[in-house]
Amino acid sequence: MATRFRKSRRQRGSRYCGWGQVGQHRQAGSRGGIGGAGKHKHFFIRTVIEEPDHFGHDAFNSFNRNLVNRWVNVRDLDAVFAKHGKADESGKVVLDLAALGYDKLLGGGQIGGAYTIKVAKVSEKAKAKIQAAGGEVISDEHDAE
Protein backbone atom coordinates (compact mmCIF):
# COMPACT_ATOMS: atom_id res chain seq x y z
CA MET A 1 0.00 0.00 0.00
CA ALA A 2 1.28 3.47 -0.83
CA THR A 3 2.17 5.56 2.19
CA ARG A 4 -0.14 8.37 1.12
CA PHE A 5 -3.16 6.06 1.41
CA ARG A 6 -2.42 4.81 4.92
CA LYS A 7 -4.72 5.70 7.79
CA SER A 8 -1.89 7.35 9.71
CA ARG A 9 -1.43 9.82 6.81
CA ARG A 10 -5.15 10.42 6.25
CA GLN A 11 -5.78 11.24 9.90
CA ARG A 12 -3.00 13.79 10.28
CA GLY A 13 -4.44 17.02 11.68
CA SER A 14 -7.56 15.39 13.09
CA ARG A 15 -6.48 15.93 16.74
CA TYR A 16 -7.32 12.40 18.06
CA CYS A 17 -6.44 10.22 15.04
CA GLY A 18 -9.43 7.93 15.41
CA TRP A 19 -9.08 7.26 19.15
CA GLY A 20 -12.18 9.09 20.33
CA GLN A 21 -12.24 11.73 23.05
CA VAL A 22 -9.23 13.22 24.87
CA GLY A 23 -7.05 10.70 26.70
CA GLN A 24 -8.76 7.53 25.52
CA HIS A 25 -5.54 6.14 24.02
CA ARG A 26 -2.99 7.68 26.35
CA GLN A 27 -2.13 5.31 29.19
CA ALA A 28 -3.12 1.76 30.20
CA GLY A 29 -6.20 2.72 32.20
CA SER A 30 -8.56 2.18 29.31
CA ARG A 31 -7.43 -1.43 28.85
CA GLY A 32 -7.42 -2.45 32.51
CA GLY A 33 -3.70 -2.33 33.26
CA ILE A 34 -0.36 -3.38 31.83
CA GLY A 35 1.01 -6.93 31.66
CA GLY A 36 -0.42 -9.30 34.26
CA ALA A 37 -2.55 -6.68 36.02
CA GLY A 38 -5.99 -7.84 37.09
CA LYS A 39 -5.42 -11.58 36.70
CA HIS A 40 -6.97 -12.14 40.14
CA LYS A 41 -9.47 -9.28 39.83
CA HIS A 42 -11.17 -7.85 36.75
CA PHE A 43 -9.46 -10.15 34.22
CA PHE A 44 -10.03 -13.32 36.24
CA ILE A 45 -12.36 -15.03 33.74
CA ARG A 46 -9.83 -14.38 30.98
CA THR A 47 -7.13 -15.94 33.19
CA VAL A 48 -9.25 -19.03 33.88
CA ILE A 49 -9.94 -19.57 30.18
CA GLU A 50 -6.53 -18.75 28.72
CA GLU A 51 -4.19 -19.87 31.54
CA PRO A 52 -5.94 -22.43 33.77
CA ASP A 53 -2.68 -23.36 35.53
CA HIS A 54 -1.54 -19.79 36.19
CA PHE A 55 -2.09 -19.82 39.95
CA GLY A 56 -0.51 -22.34 42.32
CA HIS A 57 2.85 -24.03 42.04
CA ASP A 58 4.37 -27.30 40.93
CA ALA A 59 4.66 -30.22 43.32
CA PHE A 60 7.87 -30.72 45.27
CA ASN A 61 10.34 -32.74 43.23
CA SER A 62 13.00 -34.43 45.29
CA PHE A 63 16.27 -35.00 43.48
CA ASN A 64 17.07 -38.25 45.26
CA ARG A 65 13.70 -39.92 45.44
CA ASN A 66 13.63 -43.71 45.44
CA LEU A 67 10.56 -44.90 43.57
CA VAL A 68 9.42 -48.41 44.47
CA ASN A 69 6.23 -49.09 42.61
CA ARG A 70 5.47 -52.77 43.15
CA TRP A 71 6.84 -55.22 45.67
CA VAL A 72 6.20 -58.79 46.73
CA ASN A 73 6.84 -60.58 50.02
CA VAL A 74 8.62 -63.88 50.48
CA ARG A 75 5.35 -65.47 51.62
CA ASP A 76 3.79 -64.79 48.19
CA LEU A 77 6.53 -66.45 46.09
CA ASP A 78 4.74 -69.82 45.96
CA ALA A 79 1.58 -68.23 44.52
CA VAL A 80 3.59 -66.18 42.01
CA PHE A 81 5.53 -69.27 40.95
CA ALA A 82 2.31 -71.25 40.49
CA LYS A 83 1.11 -68.65 37.97
CA HIS A 84 4.30 -67.50 36.22
CA GLY A 85 7.31 -69.57 37.26
CA LYS A 86 9.21 -72.26 35.38
CA ALA A 87 12.11 -74.64 35.91
CA ASP A 88 15.17 -74.25 33.69
CA GLU A 89 17.28 -76.99 32.05
CA SER A 90 19.34 -77.75 35.15
CA GLY A 91 16.22 -78.19 37.30
CA LYS A 92 16.47 -74.85 39.12
CA VAL A 93 13.22 -73.12 39.90
CA VAL A 94 13.61 -69.69 38.28
CA LEU A 95 11.32 -66.76 39.06
CA ASP A 96 11.96 -63.50 37.16
CA LEU A 97 10.15 -60.89 39.26
CA ALA A 98 11.58 -58.00 37.24
CA ALA A 99 9.92 -59.29 34.08
CA LEU A 100 6.63 -59.63 36.00
CA GLY A 101 6.74 -55.96 37.00
CA TYR A 102 7.92 -56.28 40.61
CA ASP A 103 10.56 -53.79 41.72
CA LYS A 104 11.49 -55.16 45.15
CA LEU A 105 11.37 -58.37 47.16
CA LEU A 106 10.54 -57.96 50.85
CA GLY A 107 11.11 -60.40 53.67
CA GLY A 108 7.64 -60.85 55.14
CA GLY A 109 6.56 -64.42 55.92
CA GLN A 110 8.23 -67.79 55.33
CA ILE A 111 9.46 -69.29 52.08
CA GLY A 112 8.15 -72.61 50.78
CA GLY A 113 10.95 -73.81 48.51
CA ALA A 114 14.32 -72.99 46.97
CA TYR A 115 13.99 -70.37 44.24
CA THR A 116 16.39 -68.57 41.95
CA ILE A 117 14.96 -65.06 41.89
CA LYS A 118 15.79 -62.18 39.53
CA VAL A 119 14.68 -58.81 40.91
CA ALA A 120 15.99 -55.22 40.89
CA LYS A 121 16.00 -54.70 44.69
CA VAL A 122 15.87 -57.09 47.61
CA SER A 123 15.83 -56.54 51.35
CA GLU A 124 18.44 -58.16 53.57
CA LYS A 125 15.82 -60.26 55.39
CA ALA A 126 14.41 -61.62 52.15
CA LYS A 127 17.87 -62.45 50.83
CA ALA A 128 18.77 -64.27 54.04
CA LYS A 129 15.54 -66.31 54.00
CA ILE A 130 15.97 -67.36 50.37
CA GLN A 131 19.61 -68.34 50.87
CA ALA A 132 18.69 -70.29 54.02
CA ALA A 133 16.12 -72.24 51.98
CA GLY A 134 18.78 -73.14 49.41
CA GLY A 135 17.93 -70.56 46.75
CA GLU A 136 19.77 -67.58 45.35
CA VAL A 137 18.96 -63.96 44.51
CA ILE A 138 20.17 -62.13 41.41
CA SER A 139 19.66 -58.39 42.02
CA ASP A 140 21.06 -54.98 41.08
CA GLU A 141 21.48 -53.62 44.61
CA HIS A 142 20.82 -54.52 48.22
CA ASP A 143 18.54 -52.41 50.46
CA ALA A 144 18.28 -52.72 54.20
CA GLU A 145 14.70 -53.32 55.30
Side-chain angles (χ1 to χ4, degrees):
M1 172 185 285
T3 304
R4 67 182 187 275
F5 295 134
R6 291 176 191 259
K7 183 190 279 190
S8 62
R9 299 306 303 164
R10 289 197 319 261
Q11 292 182 338
R12 282 288 176 236
S14 67
R15 184 171 182 179
Y16 306 124
C17 296
W19 289 107
Q21 199 46 266
V22 176
Q24 284 186 342
H25 189 58
R26 277 194 185 151
Q27 303 295 329
S30 62
R31 65 172 180 260
I34 295 174
K39 282 186 185 284
H40 230 160
K41 291 180 170 58
H42 52 284
F43 287 144
F44 186 70
I45 190 64
R46 179 189 299 176
T47 307
V48 169
I49 292 170
E50 294 175 359
E51 304 175 70
D53 298 329
H54 179 78
F55 295 108
H57 57 84
D58 294 334
F60 177 73
N61 186 11
S62 176
F63 292 113
N64 59 352
R65 63 183 167 184
N66 183 16
L67 294 177
V68 176
N69 296 325
R70 287 185 70 198
W71 61 88
V72 64
N73 274 300
V74 169
R75 73 171 69 90
D76 303 324
L77 289 180
D78 294 329
V80 172
F81 178 73
K83 285 185 180 178
H84 306 287
K86 63 181 184 300
D88 64 357
E89 303 85 32
S90 62
K92 285 186 179 179
V93 177
V94 177
L95 195 54
D96 192 355
L97 295 179
L100 296 175
Y102 291 105
D103 297 313
K104 188 170 183 178
L105 177 64
L106 302 178
Q110 300 300 321
I111 190 167
Y115 295 107
T116 300
I117 297 176
K118 297 176 185 175
V119 67
K121 298 179 182 180
V122 62
S123 67
E124 293 298 325
K125 273 188 184 179
K127 188 172 183 183
K129 287 181 181 181
I130 290 171
Q131 288 174 346
E136 65 174 324
V137 177
I138 302 167
S139 68
D140 297 340
E141 64 181 65
H142 306 290
D143 291 335
E145 191 173 283

